[in-house]
Amino acid sequence: MNQSDITLGTELKSKQIEIDHVPMHYFEQGKGDPIILLHSVPASAWIWRDIIPHLAVLGRCIALDLPGFGQSGKPNTPYPLEEQIHLIEKFIDTLQLEHITFILHGWGSIPGLDYAMRHPKKCKGLVFYEAWLCSPQGEYISLPYQEYILYWQKEKNREQVMTNGIQFVNQTLQQFAIQPFDENTLAHYYAPFLQTGTGKSLYQYLKDSPSGDGKSVADKIISQYSKKLAKSDLPKLLLYSIPGFVTTIEALTWAREHLPVIEVAEVGEDLHFGQESNPTLMGESISIWMQAVEQNYDRG
């Protein structure tokens, strides 16, 4: 196991560990029970930078770059969803993490919720934002997402992503954020895909993404864990933005009606990247919820 440790300008540390010959990069700050933060696409663990300071006093924050994104893996290598799930699970096992609170965003919610529903005894609580909670069909899948995925899942468009990942990253970030990203933030998200031909991980993401027809890899995995999630007694916090992108009003209603032990909190105006537009509100909402969960956890 090879591990490097680089301290950034704040207390946030950049670390890397090798899992099955794949470099897995993560940011870490704080001590105590682990708080694992998984990002959406095409972002990276960098998206949690302003959320972590609110949580590091409550536990050991670990913001992981998904394979093929940020500084994990290689962007010119496809990482199918099943492989991402395997690598994340082995990462957790290697670091011997237990009593985990997951904070999950978008695409990162799929491996996170899959793990939590297969290993509920290793988990303490679940926070999800713009997450895939139920089978993405009918009213549970938004029209903007349907249009987005129909366009990018066309083979000719996916092939363009393999050779020009920057175009996809730029278009997605600009399309699904209320506020423009500053140059420094964009540079972090562009970095893995600057060279021609480094978009294979993006291509694979589009290939595996929820399609709403029940046929994609993600659709099947979501359907499996959704049934368990509806019976799970783990504490849950659903964060949502207005108008949102993945989390429709119908999906929000489904969560309130079907998921036990759940609280819901609005975190401001945005589509899919509330960590960038409203980090303080999001960080404080998670912190307050986690403190209440910790009190109940200690009593139990």
Side-chain angles (χ1 to χ4, degrees):
M1 180 177 71
N2 297 321
Q3 184 168 324
S4 61
D5 185 341
I6 306 171
T7 302
L8 301 183
T10 66
E11 295 181 14
L12 196 66
K13 293 182 179 180
S14 174
K15 296 189 173 184
Q16 184 169 291
I17 186 172
E18 193 167 288
I19 304 291
D20 288 353
H21 307 292
V22 176
M24 299 285 281
H25 172 265
Y26 59 102
F27 294 110
E28 181 175 323
Q29 184 177 342
K31 296 180 180 180
D33 287 346
I35 304 167
I36 298 179
L37 303 96
L38 299 180
H39 63 86
S40 191
V41 173
S44 68
W46 181 250
I47 202 167
W48 301 110
R49 66 195 180 281
D50 293 327
I51 307 296
I52 289 175
H54 295 275
L55 310 179
V57 295
L58 304 174
R60 178 187 177 191
C61 294
I62 299 170
L64 177 66
D65 280 329
L66 298 177
F69 298 88
Q71 300 176 59
S72 284
K74 299 176 181 178
N76 60 350
T77 301
Y79 292 96
L81 179 55
E82 299 99 322
E83 185 176 0
Q84 291 194 16
I85 287 171
H86 165 74
L87 290 170
I88 291 170
E89 180 164 351
K90 196 161 183 181
F91 172 86
I92 292 171
D93 290 344
T94 302
L95 269 62
Q96 300 180 328
L97 304 177
E98 296 183 347
H99 310 299
I100 302 165
T101 298
F102 278 104
I103 301 178
L104 307 169
H105 175 211
W107 180 251
S109 69
I110 300 175
L113 289 173
D114 174 79
Y115 179 91
M117 292 302 96
R118 287 187 294 106
H119 304 282
K121 292 184 179 180
K122 289 190 175 183
C123 301
K124 187 191 288 188
L126 304 170
V127 179
F128 26 76
Y129 169 69
E130 280 288 283
W132 295 101
L133 303 177
C134 60
S135 184
Q137 297 178 1
E139 67 269 26
Y140 300 128
I141 185 167
S142 72
L143 180 58
Y145 179 81
Q146 291 179 53
E147 294 173 345
Y148 164 85
I149 208 65
L150 281 173
Y151 175 81
W152 285 110
Q153 285 190 339
K154 292 179 180 178
E155 188 60 30
K156 64 177 183 179
N157 294 331
R158 285 212 311 263
E159 289 178 354
Q160 291 178 0
V161 170
M162 280 200 291
T163 57
N164 187 4
I166 290 292
Q167 178 186 357
F168 171 80
V169 173
N170 182 65
Q171 187 169 331
T172 301
L173 292 177
Q174 301 299 335
Q175 188 174 358
F176 300 120
I178 292 291
Q179 298 181 6
F181 293 89
D182 62 49
E183 292 184 3
N184 181 54
T185 300
L186 287 174
H188 277 86
Y189 298 147
Y190 288 163
F193 310 108
L194 290 175
Q195 296 183 358
T196 301
T198 54
K200 289 184 179 179
S201 58
L202 296 170
Y203 174 92
Q204 190 67 44
Y205 154 73
L206 291 168
K207 184 177 180 181
D208 291 343
S209 286
S211 58
D213 59 8
K215 297 179 181 179
S216 77
V217 174
D219 283 60
K220 294 174 183 177
I221 292 173
I222 294 166
S223 180
Q224 289 170 1
Y225 70 59
S226 179
K227 297 172 185 176
K228 297 179 182 178
L229 191 63
K231 299 177 181 179
S232 170
D233 60 0
L234 286 171
K236 306 169 192 68
L237 174 64
L238 188 158
L239 304 173
Y240 70 97
S241 294
I242 297 176
F245 175 57
V246 170
T247 303
T248 62
I249 294 298
E250 290 78 11
L252 182 61
T253 301
W254 180 91
R256 281 178 161 149
E257 293 179 349
H258 292 85
L259 301 186
V261 201
I262 188 169
E263 295 184 29
V264 175
E266 180 190 334
V267 288
E269 182 183 14
D270 211 293
L271 289 162
H272 194 61
F273 298 105
Q275 299 96 323
E276 297 289 354
S277 58
N278 298 295
T280 299
L281 180 55
M282 184 178 288
E284 290 178 349
S285 297
I286 299 171
S287 175
I288 292 169
W289 175 85
M290 284 191 63
Q291 290 177 65
V293 169
E294 188 66 31
Q295 290 178 356
N296 293 329
Y297 189 78
D298 289 341
R299 291 193 195 105

